[in-house]
Each structure stands twice: as C-alpha cells, then as structure tokens.
Amino acid sequence: MADSEPANQKPAGRTALISVGRIWTIAASTFTQLVRMKTFYFLLAFAVLLVAAGNLNILFSAVEQLSMIKKVSFGTMDLFAWLFAIVATALLIPRDLEDRTLYTILSKPVLRIEYLLGKLIGVLVVILLSLVTMFVIFSALLHIRTIDFLHTEVAILEQAGRSQEMIQAEAEAIIAQGLRKEMWVALWAIFLKSAVVASVTIFLSTIASSSLFTIIISTIIFLVGHASQMMIDFWKDQFVDNIVVKMLAGLFRIIVPDYQIFSFYEGIILGEKVLPHLVWSMTGMSLFYVGVFLLLGLLVFFDKEF
Amino acid sequence: MRAILEKYPRWIPIVAVILVFGLIRTPIEKSLRSQLIETHLLQPPPARTTLGALKQSSLMGMLGGLRSMVAVYLTLKAYEHFGVMEWDEVESTYDLITSLEPREEFHWVHRIWHRGINAVASVEVNDDLTPAERQRRFDLYSTQAIEIGEAALEQLPNSVKIREQMAEVYREKLRDYCGAAKMYGEMKDLPGAMQYSTRFYGYFLAKCPGNEQKAYDHLYGLYVETMSNLDRKGERGFVDHRAPTLIITLKELEEKLDIPISQRIPDPHPDEGLKRRNRPTGRLPGGVGIP
Amino acid sequence: MSVPAVEVTNLTKVFPVSLRKEYVVAVDNLSFQVNAGEVYGLIGPNGSGKSTSMKVVLGLMAPTEGETRIFGVSSRDVRARNDIGFLPENPYFYKHLSGAETLKFYGKLCGMRGRDLKDRIGELLELVGLEHAKDRRLGGYSKGMLQRIGLAQALIQRPRLVILDEPTAGVDPVGSRQIRDLILKLKEDGISVFLCSHLLEQVQEVCDEVGIIFEGRMRREGKLEDLVSIGNQTSLVLENASSELVDKIERLIETEGDGAELVEKGNPRTTLERMFIRIASSEKQEKEEN
C-alpha cells in the first residue's frame, strides 16, 4: 500500500492549532505590501506640515506657538492613524480576493483566523511604526523650538528689566509646553483608537462586497461613534421621561462603539496628568474591542465561500 | 461548533455577539468616560448651543476626535478677525474655541483681553459712533469680559492668569477697584502667583471705598514682615515688599485713617525703593501678562 | 489499494439566487476519485461545475451535501491542505513581491524555514526556469512566467497532490508545452495531479483518467482510451501496414463480416472533442423534448 505512494510524502497530521509563524508571515507580507505602496511618503508630508506649523510667523506667544505645534502634530497623527486603519484594512482583503491571491493563501494550510489576524497585525504594525516616526520628528522639532523660545523669551524679559521671578515663571510656562514623557501615552492612545477602528473595519470587510462600501460604512460608524454620547444626551434632554426614547438610546449605545473615549490623548497634550490605571483600562478596553470584532469577522469569514 | 453554527442563519450569532458585547462594555465605558472627564483627559460633550453654532467643517473635525486641530484653525481665524478689528467675530470665534478647549488657559485669557481691553479701547477711540453708543458698547463689552472671566474661572478655578486679565479689565477699563482688589486677593494665595499680587491687593483695596482699614492692615503687615526679615536679605525666599507704591499708599492710608504718629512708618530712605525702574510697555498682542 | 489522493463522494453544491427562494444546482451528486500517483482530468465547458467541485476539494467552499477528502482527510480540515499544491486559473500573486519572495512567502505559510526553504526555492526556480527573474517583482512578469511561478508556489511544500485549474488557459503554445512537460515530470515523481480544463487536447496528452462533467453531473468517466472508444465500434490501429493488407482486411469484412461494416478508414484523430459535443447536444435535445 505504502509503496504506491510517492517517496517524498509526509504525514498529513500536522497540527491544526493557530500558528504564530503563519500569522507573522501574513502580517509581514501585508507590511511589505503597504510599505511598497509608498505609504511612508505620508511621513514626508507630515514633516513639512510640522515645520510649517512650527514656524507660523504670527505674533502669538511662545506658549501658544508650542501648543499649536503639539495640537497640529497630534491631530495629524490621529487623522493619519484612523484614516489609514480604515482605508488600508478595507482595501486589503477585497484586493486579495480580486487578484485570487486569497485562493492560493487559503489553499495552503492556513487557518482563516490566521489570515484575518495577519492582515490586522500587518496594518497595525505600519500604523505603529508611522506613529513612532512621526513622534520622533515631532519631538525633535518641539524640542528645538522650546529651547529656541526659552532663549529668546528670557533674553527679551531680561532686557526689559523684568524681575527674576517673572522670568522664572515664563521659562516654566514654556518648559511646561515642551516634551513630556506622557506624550508617549498620547501616542499610545492614538494607536489604540486606530486598532479598534481597524478591527471594526476588518469585520465589515468580511461582510461587504466592495472596499468602497466598507470604507463608507466604517467612516460613518467612526463619526457616529464620536458623536454617540452627544446624541444620547441630546435625545434624553429633549424627551425627558420618554421610555421609548430611553430604550432607543440604550440600544444605540449598545450597538454603536463609543469612539470618543479613545480621544483622551487630547487632554494629555493640553498638559493634564495621566493616571496609569486609566491607561491600562483603556488598553484592556481596546483589546476587548479587537478581540470581539475579530471574533465577529471570523464568524462571517470562517466558512465564507470564494 | 461548526455544526451548531451551520444550523442557523449566520446573522443570529453575529447580532448576539454584538448585543452581549454592548451590554458588557456599556457600563465599563460609562465609568471610563466619567473617569476620563474627571481627570480632564476627556472634555465633556460641548453644550448644544455650541453644537448649533459650529460650522459644518468644524463639527466634522470635532466628531472625528480632532477638536484641538479645529481649535488651532479657529485661533488663526480669530487672529485674522482681530487684525481687521472685527470684534464681534473675534468674540464668537473665541466662544467656539473655549467651548472646544475649555481647559486651555490662554484661550480664556485672550478672549477676556480681546473683549475687555481691545474691543473696549477701539470703541473709546471710534469717532464714527455717537457718544451714547460709545458708552453703551463700552459698558457692554467690559461687562461681557468680566462674565467671560467668570465662566473661565468655573473651568480653571486656580488660574492666576485669568484673574490677572480680569483685574486688568477692572483696573484699566471699568475703574472698578473693588473688583480689581477681589481678583488680586484671590490670586495672591494661589500657586504660581507673582509676589506683587499681594501688594496689588492692598493698593486696590485702598481705593475701594470702606476698605481702607483692611487695606492698611494688609499693607502694614507686608511692611512689617519685610522689616523683620531684613537680615535675610539676598537669601532665597526673602521678599522685599517695600515697593515705592506700597510706601506711598501706606503713607496715604496713615493720613486717611489718622494713625497715631508713633505707629506710622518712617519716611523712605532716599536709597531704598523709590528709584523707579524703566518699565517698557507690555508686548502686544497677548504674550506674557505684564502688570 | 492505497488511500486515494482525492475522494469526492456524492458531492452536491446548491447556490441560492437572489433573495427569493430560487436555487441553482452547480454540482449534482458528483462522485469520483483521483488515485495516488495518477493524473486525473475533470473536463467540462465553462459553467459545468468543475471550478465549484475544485473549490470544495480545496476547502474554499463547503459542500451542500456529500463530502470530499484529500488522502483520507476531510477537505474542511486545514491539515488536508498540507498535501495540496494549488494553481488557480490566471493566477495573480502579490505584485509587490519578487519571484523568490513569493516562494518564500508561501513556503513560510506551509511552515518551512531556513536552509530547507532556501534550497527548495532554488530548486523550484530552476524547475520552472525562472532563476533569471527571481529578484524581479511579479508586476513585471509575463502571463507565462506568472503561470510558472504559480506552479512553483503550488509545489513549495512538496505536496503529494497538485490541483491545477485551467493550467494552460491563455498561455502561448510554447508555454503550454512547458507546463505539460512539468505535469508529466510531476507524475514521474509520483505526485498525483488533479486538473480541470475545457481544453480537451491537452488533457488527453497527460491524463491517465478523465471525468466529463456537464451541468453538474458526471457524464462519463474512465481511462482515456476506454472513453474515446465507442461501444459497438472497434478500431484497429496498424503500423506499417501495406495497402494490400488493408485491402485484404476490407474484403474480409465484406465477405465474412456478419453484418459488420467499415465505418471509417484513415489516420487516427481525436474523438474526444466530438464525443464531448455529442454529449452536450444530446443533453440539449433531451431537455427540449421534456
């Protein structure tokens, strides 16, 4: 019996458990794909924007100018992260299907969850690396501008014969606008938001028939998810004691993710303190989101027919 | 597992997961949201009036979690209005800015400064207006500035700079010295307050009718404190309160309150204090608050 | 008897059409098997259900009824795919990867690493004749080159079974010849091949066994030579026969034929195509009569 079979065979009984190696292989290929799609040119644009924002030749105070650099930088990072999370995630799977690359991948011993996870991780690694790069560019610029302002402001105040106390206060105000360790937490917050957005998008792309559909729906959910709290408050305010409205608002809250809470980086760059346990909670919440939406995606994808 | 799933339409488990997840996360998110708002990391949703006032583009930005970007944009916009002295536009833009970022101190300071100092000053010199209209706008703008300041202090109760700016409006425009004294009085005990604020408190209290005794006690206290610490002169923490205005004000109050000669402070030594330093006018616009 | 490479048992696949309760039966109670070491061709026109059957075998689709097995393992088990190399019709791979990177990617998906993978990539590039283009991105490959890198990709983990969907569709005659030679080489190495095609000529050159599928049902199946023979006809193929000998045979049929008749005389030609058309047209007739 065995002699009729080819010599170079191996047993067909290899493990069916999830393999980190395969996930990583798909993630790495996704990463390469996105990088070779010239994604990182965006970083160049970011650097230009930052230098422009950092040199706005307007008569604003040092504190304000530094604050503007921070807001423009983090705002751009946030915009990049969630937009990229939606667009890249929405494009990747339909594209694989269209090119029939998906057939060749899934006809290898690859679990569908491995494929989904690999794609998601690939996108997230690109986002994380881009964010870190942007942060480094930003930090350098902010640091240079802070030192710069510190010197000129102190010189101006000294020349004007201001008291040491006042010079000290102004210097402290400028330094307070400079780099802080907490900014890494702000960066992490932006990343968390994009991870949640990407996982919601990946779920949508498993049911959607086109990338465009996925992108539009995902963006709508994103926007509604930011406004959900406002909407609920508004309804409750308008229809006090209306049981139907109350129930509808409750249902709305259950279905629509609350994206707003992931915008807590804005407080950090305004200089508010961060409690570590909140960062952990938000990280846990994000993981919960990613896990659930991957599960939802898998529910659709695991026996999806191509 | 597969067998069970294949029995039913797929939307059933999907909807079930979404609902269960929603039920689990809603209370957690609610608590996280209130914690984040409590620690000021997250701003509470803006009031509905603001929502109505926001232009569509700004609204999108805010919804997209880009409040600060919108705030930066509006700041530049406000600066443009300021450049052509469109005071009502400056104020309405700052109204939006401060509701987007209610915890950003300098927005409030600017808003008070624009309304209470710049707009008022421009009305004062506007010859196109009738005297009655000039007066009406003067009153309106300066009162509005104070109201803005009060709203600002609700957001940032410990702010020195907001009080400083309000004090300037009281002092320079409203000539309400009791109001100015109140501001300096609150300021002097706050962290980050300049040393002069405690003296300014006394100066303006002295000009607030009926508070002369209180002003005298306060300023005399400062004088005595300085005198008793003279041996520590030059050390860290030593504050020389014997500014020319303090001496002059004390002298005036001694007269007014009929303080017995024996308790009056000596005339200033020609070398001490009374030399006036050459003070430049504050840099405009905005910038560091210069008293 | 060894475990068959592919075993399809009573496979039925029904697709719903739109939201109304309408269905299309793509594959109807199909059964066949590909024995280990054999080249099997599933032939049928477009839309006959070949691709659907193939996708079920690959686990890309679930059967409505029946089941498919690869070397005894259900197609729905991911482990079954350890033994499969698949080349889709007109394959496109990631355009951003080079030839070598493509093979590396698929090798890694199969759990291959290091030296083993590197050697295998070299081996396969040589086999399909793409060593010179291994560092070029696939975006710049011709159709024939893509087909070859696709075949190499299918073979990366040394599968025991190779599944080819229309392997020569759209490939020029030279490329087509190369692929045919590769299939024969695979057979020599003891690898089972399951291919789908509507190009009959190629199939008959390489297949040991052929199944003819039409409208989702297996119409004929068997050894190629058996299939092309017609039940009540017998063909004699002679080599180096003199015309005298042929005349003699013809006379013999006339005199002692007992009703037998000479239908055709000449050099052998493909009859597969003719038969195929016959099946299709008789089916059509039957339908019209009903």
Side-chain angles (χ1 to χ4, degrees):
Chain A
M1 143 174 180
D3 54 6
S4 67
E5 289 179 14
N8 56 3
Q9 64 165 286
K10 51 188 167 349
R14 252 209 330 249
T15 172
L17 283 176
I18 279 194
S19 144
V20 177
R22 284 194 294 259
I23 295 172
W24 192 245
T25 303
I26 292 170
S29 140
T30 308
F31 178 81
T32 321
Q33 186 178 5
L34 290 170
V35 170
R36 291 189 183 169
M37 277 162 81
K38 315 265 191 280
T39 312
F40 286 125
Y41 277 179
F42 178 83
L43 299 178
L44 217 65
F46 176 76
V48 173
L49 175 82
L50 263 203
V51 172
N55 291 292
L56 272 180
N57 215 359
I58 294 184
L59 249 77
F60 281 123
S61 69
V63 166
E64 264 182 299
Q65 289 202 38
L66 290 174
S67 157
M68 276 189 183
I69 296 176
K70 288 192 292 183
K71 284 173 192 168
V72 170
S73 308
F74 275 90
T76 314
M77 288 183 213
D78 186 29
L79 185 71
F80 164 82
W82 70 258
L83 212 55
F84 189 83
I86 289 180
V87 176
T89 315
L91 284 178
L92 288 175
I93 296 179
R95 191 178 182 148
D96 274 8
L97 184 58
E98 229 167 78
D99 292 353
R100 280 178 248 204
T101 321
L102 192 61
Y103 292 177
T104 50
I105 293 173
L106 293 181
S107 62
K108 294 291 180 202
V110 174
L111 290 171
R112 302 220 171 162
I113 180 72
E114 293 169 342
Y115 175 77
L116 284 186
L117 255 178
K119 286 281 161 193
L120 182 67
I121 291 173
V123 172
L124 291 185
V125 169
V126 174
I127 293 177
L128 191 62
L129 274 184
S130 311
L131 283 179
V132 169
T133 315
M134 285 192 260
F135 186 74
V136 169
I137 297 172
F138 154 77
S139 303
L141 189 92
L142 186 70
H143 188 66
I144 291 169
R145 296 297 283 159
T146 310
I147 300 290
D148 192 24
F149 277 127
L150 209 53
H151 284 306
T152 49
E153 289 294 305
V154 168
I156 288 171
L157 292 175
E158 272 174 353
Q159 207 187 359
R162 297 282 157 201
S163 69
Q164 210 47 50
E165 188 198 14
M166 190 176 285
I167 295 172
Q168 182 72 25
E170 174 66 6
E172 273 166 16
I174 290 175
I175 289 167
Q177 292 292 337
L179 283 176
R180 296 193 309 147
K181 276 204 296 292
E182 284 90 336
M183 284 179 183
W184 283 104
V185 179
L187 197 72
W188 180 244
I190 291 178
F191 177 70
L192 288 182
K193 193 207 262 186
S194 69
V196 172
V197 170
S199 63
V200 172
T201 312
I202 219 167
F203 162 60
L204 288 172
S205 86
T206 57
I207 25 180
S209 46
S210 76
S211 304
L212 195 63
F213 175 84
T214 311
I215 291 173
I216 291 172
I217 298 295
S218 197
T219 309
I220 290 175
I221 292 180
F222 182 81
L223 294 178
V224 172
H226 270 88
S228 58
Q229 193 59 42
M230 262 186 271
M231 289 177 170
I232 289 168
D233 288 348
F234 178 74
W235 289 336
K236 284 189 173 165
D237 206 45
Q238 290 283 301
F239 310 98
V240 193
D241 292 334
N242 187 329
I243 191 85
V244 179
V245 171
K246 245 185 186 163
M247 278 168 63
L248 278 177
L251 190 68
F252 183 78
R253 194 199 282 275
I254 284 171
I255 295 172
V256 180
D258 185 355
Y259 279 134
Q260 185 95 64
I261 56 169
F262 292 95
S263 294
F264 68 97
Y265 78 88
E266 294 194 328
I268 301 175
I269 59 164
L270 287 180
E272 306 288 356
K273 283 199 181 60
V274 197
L275 300 176
H277 85 266
L278 271 177
V279 180
W280 287 117
S281 304
M282 289 307 296
T283 306
M285 195 69 198
S286 312
L287 277 175
F288 193 23
Y289 261 104
V290 173
V292 167
F293 277 93
L294 267 179
L295 173 70
L296 286 170
L298 192 62
L299 274 176
V300 182
F301 197 67
F302 91 102
D303 60 352
K304 192 177 169 100
E305 303 189 328
F306 300 105
Chain B
M1 183 68 189
R2 194 195 285 261
I4 300 169
L5 278 173
E6 277 170 3
K7 260 192 203 160
Y8 305 101
R10 192 53 46 86
W11 63 266
I12 294 177
I14 289 173
V15 169
V17 170
I18 291 176
L19 288 182
V20 169
F21 176 55
L23 284 173
I24 298 172
R25 73 178 163 80
T26 310
I28 305 175
E29 275 176 356
K30 223 173 166 174
S31 123
L32 275 173
R33 170 180 279 275
S34 60
Q35 285 182 66
L36 287 169
I37 290 176
E38 236 167 73
T39 52
H40 305 298
L41 289 176
L42 207 64
Q43 286 153 21
R48 249 176 304 122
T49 49
T50 321
L51 201 61
L54 274 174
K55 286 183 191 156
Q56 214 164 8
S57 57
S58 324
L59 182 72
M60 288 291 280
M62 187 184 62
L63 297 182
L66 293 172
R67 279 180 183 230
S68 13
M69 286 276 260
V70 176
V72 168
Y73 166 77
L74 290 174
T75 308
L76 296 174
K77 230 32 233 155
Y79 189 82
E80 267 178 43
H81 293 309
F82 169 47
V84 292
M85 303 203 290
E86 294 169 341
W87 302 115
D88 286 333
E89 281 75 9
V90 170
E91 166 55 16
S92 61
T93 312
Y94 264 106
D95 186 15
L96 288 182
I97 297 171
T98 50
S99 39
L100 286 174
E101 291 183 336
R103 299 262 306 158
E104 190 72 288
E105 191 181 48
F106 56 72
H107 289 328
W108 288 111
V109 173
H110 279 309
R111 194 174 162 193
I112 302 167
W113 179 66
H114 280 309
R115 204 58 176 165
I117 306 290
N118 296 330
V120 169
S122 121
V123 165
E124 282 176 308
V125 296
N126 191 342
D127 294 333
D128 295 344
L129 301 174
T130 61
E133 178 62 14
R134 228 180 279 168
Q135 187 59 43
R136 193 190 69 80
R137 289 206 194 171
F138 179 96
D139 292 344
L140 178 71
Y141 291 174
S142 43
T143 341
Q144 274 178 347
I146 296 303
E147 281 167 12
I148 293 166
E150 275 155 7
L153 289 179
E154 264 173 44
Q155 295 291 339
L156 298 157
N158 288 328
S159 170
V160 170
K161 288 196 171 135
I162 291 171
R163 287 189 172 83
E164 210 167 69
Q165 193 58 62
M166 285 172 79
E168 193 189 344
V169 177
Y170 277 125
R171 196 180 73 207
E172 304 295 329
K173 298 296 168 194
L174 287 169
R175 314 253 169 223
D176 174 356
Y177 300 125
C178 302
K182 183 171 174 271
M183 286 301 121
Y184 288 118
E186 286 171 10
M187 251 168 86
K188 67 179 171 44
D189 303 320
L190 290 173
M194 294 283 158
Q195 291 156 4
Y196 67 78
S197 40
T198 186
R199 298 195 295 271
F200 273 45
Y201 169 58
Y203 303 161
F204 290 100
L205 207 55
K207 293 183 182 179
C208 178
N211 285 286
E212 289 80 3
Q213 184 63 49
K214 217 171 152 189
Y216 175 79
D217 292 344
H218 179 72
L219 292 174
Y220 187 69
L222 291 178
Y223 179 81
V224 170
E225 187 194 312
T226 304
M227 295 311 283
S228 62
N229 283 327
L230 264 187
D231 51 325
R232 284 179 48 225
K233 198 173 175 182
E235 282 177 31
R236 253 184 96 85
F238 171 77
V239 186
D240 192 346
H241 284 301
R242 295 170 301 165
T245 316
L246 183 124
I247 305 295
I248 292 167
T249 313
L250 265 181
K251 288 265 159 224
E252 284 169 6
L253 287 169
E254 283 169 348
E255 286 295 328
K256 234 186 221 175
L257 295 168
D258 237 348
I259 304 291
I261 302 290
S262 58
Q263 286 171 33
R264 295 191 179 187
I265 58 163
D267 284 339
H269 189 276
D271 288 342
E272 295 266 10
L274 277 179
K275 280 178 292 177
R276 277 208 170 262
R277 264 178 284 176
N278 183 25
R279 288 192 177 236
T281 48
R283 280 188 307 123
L284 295 178
V288 199
I290 292 173
Chain C
M1 200 44 206
S2 67
V3 184
V6 179
E7 201 179 359
V8 175
T9 322
N10 304 326
L11 173 67
T12 300
K13 181 69 193 175
V14 177
F15 291 111
V17 182
S18 72
L19 292 172
R20 284 168 294 156
K21 295 225 164 186
E22 275 178 36
Y23 296 95
V24 165
V25 181
V27 179
D28 186 3
N29 203 20
L30 185 75
S31 297
F32 65 91
Q33 68 178 48
V34 179
N35 294 317
E38 181 182 77
V39 179
Y40 186 98
L42 193 61
I43 311 162
N46 295 327
S48 58
K50 337 180 267 300
S51 284
T52 306
S53 314
M54 186 171 269
K55 284 177 178 175
V56 175
V57 168
L58 282 165
L60 292 171
M61 266 184 195
T64 312
E65 260 167 55
E67 72 165 345
T68 58
R69 290 178 169 275
I70 307 291
F71 292 106
V73 181
S74 166
S75 289
R76 311 188 69 175
D77 188 331
V78 73
R79 282 172 293 194
R81 288 188 279 290
N82 282 321
D83 285 320
I84 306 178
F86 173 56
L87 172 68
E89 186 187 354
N90 295 330
Y92 291 96
F93 301 100
Y94 289 126
K95 288 188 191 72
H96 63 273
L97 296 179
S98 70
E101 283 171 333
T102 303
L103 296 184
K104 196 169 161 196
F105 172 66
Y106 286 101
K108 282 186 164 176
L109 286 185
C110 297
M112 298 171 79
R113 291 285 180 274
R115 191 78 256 153
D116 180 35
L117 179 57
K118 212 176 158 202
D119 292 348
R120 183 67 181 154
I121 292 171
E123 221 173 87
L124 286 170
L125 285 170
E126 194 188 329
L127 179 76
V128 297
L130 284 173
E131 285 158 303
H132 63 284
K134 69 178 161 73
D135 294 323
R136 218 190 299 162
R137 289 202 191 162
L138 296 198
Y141 271 32
S142 72
K143 205 162 188 175
M145 289 163 88
L146 279 175
Q147 200 76 7
R148 270 140 64 203
I149 201 75
L151 193 61
Q153 161 278 130
L155 295 170
I156 189 81
Q157 86 276 29
R158 303 184 182 87
R160 288 190 287 168
L161 166 70
V162 174
I163 299 184
L164 310 169
D165 192 2
E166 305 284 0
T168 54
V171 179
D172 63 40
V174 181
S176 173
R177 175 102 241 156
Q178 281 173 328
I179 287 170
R180 198 167 51 214
D181 291 346
L182 279 169
I183 294 174
L184 291 172
K185 169 117 188 8
L186 293 179
K187 186 183 164 187
E188 246 170 60
D189 292 345
I191 296 174
S192 319
V193 178
F194 170 33
L195 63 88
C196 276
S197 186
H198 64 277
L199 299 172
L200 309 166
E201 266 173 66
Q202 289 155 9
V203 170
Q204 67 185 8
E205 273 180 68
V206 292
C207 291
D208 299 312
E209 193 130 353
V210 176
I212 294 179
I213 184 172
F214 186 72
E215 295 199 333
R217 262 181 282 167
M218 188 67 89
R219 303 298 169 163
R220 293 284 159 78
E221 199 192 10
K223 297 268 177 241
L224 193 66
E225 53 270 33
D226 296 344
L227 271 186
V228 292
S229 69
I230 297 168
N232 60 351
Q233 292 184 355
T234 310
S235 77
L236 292 172
V237 181
L238 307 172
E239 211 166 34
N240 303 328
S242 63
S243 58
E244 290 85 31
L245 177 65
V246 176
D247 287 345
K248 231 175 174 175
I249 294 172
E250 279 180 29
R251 273 200 301 281
L252 191 68
I253 295 168
E254 275 168 31
T255 54
E256 296 174 30
D258 198 16
E261 217 180 310
L262 179 67
V263 178
E264 194 182 310
K265 191 179 101 180
N267 298 325
R269 283 265 176 275
T270 169
T271 52
L272 195 53
E273 191 147 358
R274 250 196 288 158
M275 182 194 61
F276 181 77
I277 291 165
R278 204 177 64 215
I279 292 174
S281 56
S282 73
E283 183 82 18
K284 207 175 156 195
Q285 221 175 345
E286 236 172 74
K287 267 197 176 163
E288 279 165 0
E289 280 163 16
N290 286 340

